[in-house]
């Protein structure tokens, strides 16, 4: 299947030879003589189907990782990583400050609708090119030939930055949720930032151990966590509805607040929507696990769509319930634990009950942290495999015995520890980290969707086959997804409140600009000499 063909020129001999060698390596798998129900023949060692083999061959990639994930575990992986209702419980300070009860509900609704176009666009691209590289691969394959190299390199760095920043937020949440339990049981306990950082480091070490030595058991663990995700949701919602005092429907759905000091409620809502955006992102996580998911060309997009719908529905029910029982926003925001949901729990149950309820999101966010690290390490490994990062050979190494990119997992954990050190000097570090995660992710969404939109508009005949296709709705859905990504990208740079000082400033803009400058400097100094972009290995590619 031809893809990303230039206007003129022929195959470059070196890349053609490399491509043919890669395809030959994929084709020479062992044990391809039994057909399974997944739609093709499988390798007893790697577990891929005939469709997986064809997809990897078209992209010129070797099957290096074991395909352990099936449809249910792929769905569970994505659901747990997104953790929409858990995020809405634990990371809504900005939305409550800028927008209030009604602001959070309505911003979540429009964010869910807007982001559905992004998710659908990404799911189709994941079906066209099911690779762990994700966005930077899609940009490389679908961008105009003269720009594919530098654009995909930039998006590779932005995607790596985004996932690394997001990975750091999980241990931060887990650590501070544990501290919150300590504060509830021992009111005299005064947590410090350095203690929170030590918690992050401890959680990260556990994640490192699980993702290297427990990787084969991860699909089963994800399935178990999916059960806890659903029943934990039910347990908390039922307790709140039965035992907690409630607002009226009028207050819940119409009371907007502007505690951030902005010029208008409308502007406050735009700034506060980052809480809703943060709850809806990362449906592309399954795409970065594509090379470990069986029959990825159809399983991955289905997992993305299914998890988005399931999490979206649970998130909406939870958020409305949560806003109904938050009878005093100011008191909730000023809770000693810094978590508004702890204040809500206090109104319904005893201290022991608060801790018991808080254990549920703590466990689930820890499980999401494990999944996030998996997805991040695979994206980082894929970019290193294409020589996009410093020390690419080392980062791109796969342990042949464990069939895990151990070095990519290790470097991801080390970056998490490094980012956690920011928290020692600033108590707004979490907002900076999640803003960095969202803003970098949004630019990768905008670029990849924009490129496939360009390809669909200019050369639709060159798009790869997609088993999960948008069909004739492709152009309008891609256009809406692109516009929404740009919209979210713009608002993610804004601080939580005004006037702004050095402690309340949104440092995501500085970190984003810094990585952008570093990536481009490295590109011109070294990257352009070694990085060609994954498109050069794609079947049918022609150089200029």
């Amino acid at each position: 299947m031809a893809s990303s063909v230039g206007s003129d020129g022929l195959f470059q001999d070196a890349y053609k030879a490399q491509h043919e060698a890669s395809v030959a390596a994929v084709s020479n798998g062992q044990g391809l003589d039994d057909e399974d129900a997944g739609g093709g023949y499988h390798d007893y060692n790697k577990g891929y189907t005939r469709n997986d083999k064809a997809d990897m061959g078209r992209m010129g990639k070797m099957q290096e990782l074991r395909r352990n994930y099936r449809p249910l575990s792929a769905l569970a992986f994505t659901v747990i990583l997104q953790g929409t209702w858990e995020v809405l419980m634990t990371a809504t300070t900005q939305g409550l400050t800028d927008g209030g009860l009604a602001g959070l509900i309505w911003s979540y609704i429009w964010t869910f609708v807007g982001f559905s176009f992004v998710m659908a666009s990404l799911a189709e691209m994941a079906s066209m090119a099911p690779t762990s590289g994700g966005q930077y691969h899609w940009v490389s394959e679908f961008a105009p030939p003269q720009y594919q190299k530098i654009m995909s390199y930039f998006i590779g760095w932005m995607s790596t930055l985004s996932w690394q920043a997001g990975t750091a937020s999980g241990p931060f949440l887990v650590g501070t949720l544990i501290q919150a339990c300590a504060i509830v049981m021992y009111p005299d306990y005064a947590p410090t930032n350095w203690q929170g950082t030590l918690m992050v480091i401890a959680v990260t070490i556990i994640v490192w151990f699980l993702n290297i030595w427990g990787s084969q058991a991860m699909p089963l663990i994800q399935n178990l966590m999916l059960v806890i995700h659903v029943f934990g949701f039910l347990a908390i919602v039922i307790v709140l509805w039965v035992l907690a005092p409630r607002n009226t429907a009028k207050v819940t759905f119409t009371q907007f607040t502007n505690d951030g000091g902005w010029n208008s409620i409308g502007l406050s809502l735009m700034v506060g929507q980052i809480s809703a955006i943060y709850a809806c992102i990362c449906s592309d996580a399954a795409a970065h696990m594509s090379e470990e998911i069986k029959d990825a060309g159809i399983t991955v997009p289905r997992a993305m769509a299914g998890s988005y719908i399931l999490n979206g529905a649970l998130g909406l029910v939870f958020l409305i319930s949560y806003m109904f029982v938050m009878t005093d926003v100011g008191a909730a925001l000023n809770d000693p634990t810094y978590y508004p949901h702890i204040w809500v729990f206090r109104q319904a149950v005893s201290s022991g009950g608060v801790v018991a309820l808080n254990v549920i999101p703590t466990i689930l966010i820890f499980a999401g942290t494990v999944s996030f690290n998996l997805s991040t390490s695979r994206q980082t490994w894929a970019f290193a495999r294409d020589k996009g990062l410093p020390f690419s050979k080392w980062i791109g190494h796969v342990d042949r015995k464990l069939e895990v990119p151990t070095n990519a997992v290790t470097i991801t954990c080390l970056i998490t520890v490094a980012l956690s050190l920011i928290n020692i000097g600033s108590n707004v570090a979490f907002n900076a980290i999640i803003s960095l995660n969202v803003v970098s992710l949004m630019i990768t969404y905008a670029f990849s969707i924009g490129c496939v939109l360009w390809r669909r508009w200019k050369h639709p005949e060159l798009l790869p086959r997609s088993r999960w296709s948008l069909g004739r709705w492709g152009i309008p859905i891609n256009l809406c997804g692109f516009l929404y990504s740009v919209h979210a990208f713009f608002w993610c740079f804004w601080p939580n409140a005004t006037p702004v000082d050095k402690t309340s400033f949104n440092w995501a803009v500085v970190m984003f600009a810094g990585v952008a400058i570093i990536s481009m400097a490295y590109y011109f100094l070294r990257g352009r000499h070694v990085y060609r972009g994954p498109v050069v290995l794609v079947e049918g590619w022609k150089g200029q």
Side-chain angles (χ1 to χ4, degrees):
M1 178 66 68
S3 180
S4 292
V5 180
S7 58
D8 56 10
L10 300 173
F11 277 110
Q12 296 182 21
D13 293 339
Y15 304 130
K16 181 179 179 181
Q18 185 180 5
H19 161 71
E20 291 173 346
S22 298
V23 174
V26 173
S27 300
N28 288 333
Q30 298 176 350
L32 300 176
D33 54 355
D34 283 346
E35 191 167 11
D36 66 352
Y41 293 92
H42 69 279
D43 182 337
Y44 288 123
N45 295 323
K46 301 295 184 182
Y48 59 77
T49 68
R50 177 183 294 164
N51 288 314
D52 293 325
K53 177 184 173 183
D55 288 332
M56 294 292 281
R58 186 193 72 80
M59 295 182 294
K61 301 297 184 186
M62 290 188 294
Q63 183 67 51
E64 298 184 77
L65 308 177
R66 183 188 297 270
R67 292 184 182 266
N68 288 327
Y69 287 82
R70 303 298 186 265
L72 179 60
S73 53
L75 173 68
F77 171 87
T78 316
V79 167
I80 296 304
L81 188 147
Q82 281 186 290
T84 299
W85 72 261
E86 296 93 333
V87 171
L88 290 171
M89 174 189 290
T90 58
T92 52
T93 298
Q94 188 158 345
L96 288 171
T97 302
D98 298 309
L101 304 179
L104 255 177
I105 292 174
W106 296 111
S107 66
Y108 176 78
I109 291 173
W110 81 59
T111 297
F112 180 79
V113 173
F115 218 88
S116 65
F117 298 106
V118 177
M119 181 278 300
S121 299
L122 298 174
E124 185 188 43
M125 285 186 282
S127 184
M128 292 177 180
T131 167
S132 297
Q135 288 91 308
Y136 85 88
H137 179 106
W138 302 332
V139 168
S140 180
E141 188 164 347
F142 303 135
Q146 63 271 35
Y147 303 120
Q148 70 82 13
K149 183 177 175 180
I150 190 171
M151 285 174 59
S152 66
Y153 187 84
F154 175 72
I155 292 305
W157 272 74
M158 288 297 106
S159 185
T160 302
L161 165 67
S162 173
W163 281 94
Q164 293 291 349
T167 302
S169 68
F172 185 95
L173 273 173
V174 173
T176 51
L177 284 171
I178 293 172
Q179 286 184 316
C181 290
I183 294 173
V184 171
M185 297 306 296
Y186 305 98
D188 293 335
Y189 170 60
T192 60
N193 288 350
W194 67 265
Q195 290 172 330
T197 295
L198 289 179
M199 288 279 194
V200 171
I201 295 172
V203 171
T204 302
I205 292 172
I206 297 172
V207 169
W208 175 83
F209 181 84
L210 289 174
N211 281 346
I212 289 182
W213 304 105
S215 60
Q216 302 303 322
M218 278 301 135
L220 179 61
I221 294 173
Q222 300 292 348
N223 292 342
L224 175 62
M225 288 298 108
L226 178 61
V227 175
I228 297 176
H229 176 79
V230 174
F231 282 94
F233 159 83
L234 292 173
I236 291 176
V237 167
I238 290 171
V239 168
L240 293 182
W241 273 110
V242 172
L243 299 177
R246 294 191 290 274
N247 294 309
T248 64
K250 181 178 180 180
V251 169
T252 303
F253 290 102
T254 64
Q255 181 174 297
F256 299 90
T257 58
N258 180 14
D259 292 336
W262 301 102
N263 294 333
S264 66
I265 287 291
L267 181 56
S268 181
L269 285 172
M270 292 297 101
V271 174
Q273 69 182 322
I274 190 174
S275 292
I277 292 172
Y278 188 59
C280 291
I281 61 172
C282 295
S283 58
D284 60 307
H288 300 299
M289 297 295 291
S290 289
E291 295 176 41
E292 293 169 77
I293 295 176
K294 195 167 189 175
D295 208 14
I298 191 66
T299 302
V300 168
R302 284 177 177 173
M304 292 170 67
S307 65
Y308 190 77
I309 293 170
L310 175 61
N311 266 342
L314 293 180
L316 182 60
V317 173
F318 176 82
L319 183 60
I320 292 174
S321 303
Y322 187 38
M323 294 300 97
F324 258 106
V325 298
M326 188 169 290
T327 53
D328 189 335
V329 174
L333 289 173
N334 291 315
D335 188 86
T337 65
Y338 300 106
Y339 280 111
H341 75 274
I342 297 293
W343 182 89
V344 171
F345 288 169
R346 291 180 196 269
Q347 312 312 304
V349 294
S350 64
S351 295
V354 171
V355 172
L357 290 177
N358 197 46
V359 166
I360 297 173
T362 304
I363 291 173
L364 289 170
I365 291 173
F366 173 77
T369 299
V370 174
S371 299
F372 219 115
N373 183 281
L374 276 171
S375 189
T376 301
S377 61
R378 273 39 171 191
Q379 189 280 328
T380 303
W381 163 74
F383 194 42
R385 177 178 59 181
D386 286 316
K387 301 181 181 179
L389 294 171
F391 312 107
S392 285
K393 185 176 180 180
W394 183 80
I395 297 174
H397 171 74
V398 174
D399 186 293
R400 300 303 177 191
K401 184 176 181 180
L402 297 173
E403 294 179 301
V404 172
T406 52
N407 293 344
V409 175
T410 299
I411 197 68
T412 297
C413 291
L414 291 175
I415 291 173
T416 295
V417 171
L419 289 177
S420 72
L421 299 177
I422 300 172
N423 183 53
I424 295 177
S426 172
N427 59 8
V428 298
F430 177 64
N431 281 335
I433 290 172
I434 67 169
S435 295
L436 179 64
N437 173 214
V438 174
V439 73
S440 302
L441 201 59
M442 286 303 151
I443 200 169
T444 70
Y445 291 166
F447 268 68
S448 56
I449 296 173
C451 287
V452 79
L453 178 61
W454 176 87
R455 179 69 64 185
R456 176 170 264 128
W457 182 267
K458 287 289 188 180
H459 302 288
E461 74 282 1
L462 299 180
L463 285 174
R465 178 180 68 97
S466 172
R467 298 165 63 199
W468 196 94
S469 175
L470 298 177
R472 60 192 179 92
W473 294 101
I475 288 180
I477 290 176
N478 289 161
L479 181 60
C480 290
F482 173 78
L483 293 176
Y484 183 78
S485 298
V486 173
H487 161 85
F489 176 75
F490 173 77
W491 289 106
C492 287
F493 285 114
W494 289 60
N496 198 20
T498 186
V500 179
D501 57 30
K502 64 181 181 179
T503 60
S504 61
F505 182 71
N506 187 343
W507 293 97
V509 63
V510 176
M511 290 185 277
F512 175 83
V515 172
I517 293 171
I518 291 171
S519 66
M520 287 296 94
Y522 188 77
Y523 174 80
F524 286 106
L525 289 174
R526 175 171 169 76
R528 62 193 176 97
H529 301 297
V530 298
Y531 179 79
R532 303 295 177 181
V535 72
V536 301
L537 300 180
V538 170
E539 182 179 325
W541 179 81
K542 292 181 181 179
Q544 294 193 356

